Amino acid sequence: MDRTAQLTALPEERTFVYDPPSLSGSLHLRAAAVLEGNWTGTSTVPSRGLYPHQWSWDSAFIAIGLRHLSPLRAQKELETLLAAQWGDGRVPHIVFNPSVPLDAYFPSPDFWRSSTAGHTAGAPRTVQTSGIVQPPVHALAAWLVHRADPGLSRARGFLAGVYPRLAAWHRYLLHRRDLGGGGLASVVHPWEQGMDNSPCWDAPLSRITPAPARSFRRADLDHGAAEDRPTDLDYGRYVRLATDYRDGQYADGASEFAVEDPSFNALLIASEHALARIARELGATGTARHARAERLTGVLIDRLWDPAEGMFFCRDVRGEGLIPERSVSGLIPLLLPDLPRDIATALVRTASGPHFGLGDTTRLPPSYDLSGEAFDPHRYWRGPAWFNTSWLLERGLRLHGERTRAEALRTAVLETADATDFAEYVDPYDGEACGATGFSWTAALTLDLLHEPPGPAVSGTVLGTFDRRDTQARDTEVTEAKTSEVKVANGVKGGDRG
């Protein structure tokens, strides 16, 4: 049975608890087609043109959506990424595809020189990566992927395989990256936080001497209008920071740029909660990890919360404390379960107020303050709305009992993804598409919002697999794993299943 037949053959009585009646089932098909088109065989590119490699937090969000189509592919997405982990625990923000020409993307592998410049930090020798990181959504993604098909996950030893890598990843962030000494992880480059061109970085970046324009070529301008992308001056500073980090053998602590970001740390805390659940699934208690997540929530509040403004702010570790720029990053901690009620209420009020206009003046939450001097509805992370931050806020609203607001945001996300052919980002006011279309995390998170969340004993694989190849691969994996278990039980060394 082909993929279209699989989807259209679903029982009519099966309903999805979040599905709005106005959206047709074709949205499932189109989102699945985007992920199929961007699949490389081992991972998913964000888009075929501008982003031809594997990106770290993209893959986490993509896996969250892929679990509804093929739990096997979702598991492999994360396994492929984590296989490129460095010896010091960092998960690089790009894993390069060696078949892609060097001039297709900048900075390319020959810029990062990971296997040589990163040798001291334990960079892998057999795959080329970048040397910086991205937000740690991975443990959360791994837990959700496991829950989509626990039988397959257990048979393949998925969680047992990824848990040590995820634990090392968190350990790296909580120790090597505690540059402010207060317990939070710092980013050492704007690209690490994911919101690359946010005005939050303007003040700390102003201390950085930009690299000469002639020293690099911007491949991004081949795929997007210059007025929608970072300026040459900002890009020169990005390149300088990355160059200095590389030339310092990727050692942490020396950079003039070090920022504690609320979104980055909130995702680390959420993933720490998920890692506790993974530990319990593997037979441990997970108590220490839950306690650490609760403690880190308190640290986040102590260091980054501004009660007068009703939101979280970035802290410039090398500068003068909190950075007074309102970014969507300061709303993302709403997804934390241990957030005090008064703080959650204040965040909802700020998101719905004049600075972000959620549910009022904007279709989707903007990436930056509507009234800020640097606001631009089309320029990268200086105002446009993004689907991953909208998804995170929808989850947070629902978690804290704001069901009506969550439903409205969910509907807006689905309608906008549908209307823009799964755009990379959009104008927050009218939803006009910006950047690439057919963007993977937009399609993946659309799928996630179209599905009911799986319960403890319910499979989330409502739509089966992409095609027969995935079905056959899944059956092979399960058969091999069961054979391995029998061998182990008989005292024979089994296969490598984690």
Side-chain angles (χ1 to χ4, degrees):
M1 183 182 294
D2 64 24
R3 182 69 190 133
T4 303
Q6 283 181 321
L7 289 172
T8 56
L10 287 172
E12 291 185 6
E13 65 271 14
R14 178 60 187 265
T15 59
F16 303 110
V17 294
Y18 297 148
D19 275 2
S22 61
L23 294 172
S24 72
S26 66
L27 188 57
H28 288 275
L29 288 169
R30 291 169 50 228
V34 168
L35 296 179
E36 175 75 347
N38 289 341
W39 174 252
T40 69
T42 55
S43 63
T44 310
V45 298
S47 71
R48 284 290 180 180
L50 180 55
Y51 306 104
H53 303 285
Q54 183 180 25
W55 260 259
S56 174
W57 77 324
D58 290 73
S59 279
F61 288 122
I62 288 165
I64 289 170
L66 268 178
R67 68 192 171 117
H68 299 295
L69 299 171
S70 170
L72 177 59
R73 283 196 185 185
Q75 291 175 28
K76 288 186 174 181
E77 183 81 37
L78 295 173
E79 289 166 343
T80 299
L81 176 69
L82 292 172
Q85 185 175 30
W86 291 27
D88 64 2
R90 81 182 73 195
V91 175
H93 98 295
I94 301 175
V95 180
F96 289 106
N97 182 343
S99 68
V100 173
L102 288 177
D103 62 359
Y105 183 81
F106 179 84
S108 50
D110 59 340
F111 171 89
W112 294 104
R113 306 171 199 164
S114 60
S115 59
T116 53
H119 175 72
T120 303
R125 304 179 68 88
T126 58
V127 62
Q128 293 298 311
T129 75
S130 65
I132 61 175
V133 303
Q134 275 190 326
V137 200
H138 311 90
L140 175 60
W143 177 244
L144 293 176
V145 166
H146 163 77
R147 291 187 64 186
D149 192 336
L152 174 65
S153 175
R154 291 170 186 141
R156 294 186 70 246
F158 170 64
L159 291 183
V162 300
Y163 179 83
R165 293 183 177 273
L166 293 170
W169 170 219
H170 286 205
R171 191 159 53 246
Y172 166 78
L173 292 173
L174 291 170
H175 295 283
R176 299 285 187 93
R177 287 299 190 89
D178 182 12
L179 303 181
L184 297 181
S186 292
V187 296
V188 299
H189 196 291
W191 291 339
E192 291 197 314
Q193 193 267 356
M195 303 177 191
D196 307 0
N197 195 39
S198 170
C200 294
W201 317 132
D202 290 354
L205 275 178
S206 68
R207 300 191 293 268
I208 308 302
T209 301
R214 65 182 180 278
S215 66
F216 60 91
R217 176 188 173 276
R218 294 185 58 179
D220 64 317
L221 297 182
D222 295 340
H223 302 275
E227 59 269 22
D228 292 348
R229 304 293 297 178
T231 65
D232 286 342
L233 177 61
D234 285 334
Y235 214 91
R237 287 172 169 147
Y238 303 155
V239 173
R240 172 69 69 187
L241 274 175
T243 301
D244 290 348
Y245 195 38
R246 177 199 67 199
D247 292 348
Q249 308 300 303
Y250 297 109
D252 294 312
S255 176
E256 295 181 61
F257 185 100
V259 176
E260 294 172 354
D261 174 77
S263 175
F264 191 100
N265 281 281
L267 291 170
L268 175 57
I269 295 167
S271 277
E272 190 69 12
H273 278 298
L275 207 54
R277 293 182 173 89
I278 293 173
R280 283 207 306 270
E281 169 68 20
L282 296 174
T285 65
T287 304
R289 292 200 175 276
H290 273 310
R292 181 181 296 117
E294 293 172 1
R295 178 182 60 80
L296 287 171
T297 300
V299 174
L300 184 75
I301 294 168
D302 289 342
R303 290 185 66 80
L304 305 185
W305 174 249
D306 186 330
E309 297 293 342
M311 67 180 301
F312 291 87
F313 288 90
C314 294
R315 177 176 293 277
D316 185 355
V317 173
R318 306 292 189 228
E320 301 297 327
L322 296 182
I323 299 171
E325 298 286 0
R326 297 180 183 89
S327 162
V328 70
S329 174
L331 304 177
I332 300 302
L334 189 63
L335 62 83
L336 298 178
D338 300 314
L339 208 62
R341 180 177 296 275
D342 62 324
I343 292 181
T345 300
L347 284 173
V348 173
R349 186 166 55 247
T350 300
S352 308
H355 297 295
F356 295 93
L358 182 61
D360 182 17
T361 59
T362 58
R363 182 183 295 263
L364 296 180
S367 51
Y368 178 65
D369 183 359
L370 298 172
S371 61
E373 291 184 8
F375 174 78
D376 184 327
H378 285 184
R379 192 178 287 276
Y380 210 62
W381 289 109
R382 289 182 171 255
W386 292 71
F387 290 89
N388 64 331
T389 54
S390 296
W391 180 85
L392 290 167
L393 286 176
E394 192 273 351
R395 301 286 87 179
L397 289 167
R398 196 172 297 279
L399 175 67
H400 289 283
E402 294 284 343
R403 183 176 178 81
T404 300
R405 295 181 193 274
E407 291 288 350
L409 178 54
R410 178 188 168 279
T411 299
V413 168
L414 294 175
E415 290 176 345
T416 306
D418 191 15
T420 62
D421 193 22
F422 307 100
E424 182 181 0
Y425 54 102
V426 299
D427 184 305
Y429 290 116
D430 60 16
E432 178 187 349
C434 302
T437 54
F439 201 71
S440 290
W441 80 25
T442 303
L445 297 177
T446 294
L447 284 169
D448 193 61
L449 291 175
L450 283 170
H451 287 71
E452 61 182 359
V458 179
S459 172
T461 59
V462 179
L463 299 184
T465 56
F466 277 105
D467 52 33
R468 288 184 179 180
R469 293 191 305 276
D470 277 344
T471 304
Q472 292 166 352
R474 177 194 187 282
D475 291 344
T476 300
E477 292 272 6
V478 172
T479 300
E480 290 178 354
K482 288 180 177 177
T483 301
S484 174
E485 290 170 0
V486 171
K487 289 180 178 180
V488 171
N490 292 331
V492 179
K493 183 178 180 181
D496 182 15
R497 294 291 166 190

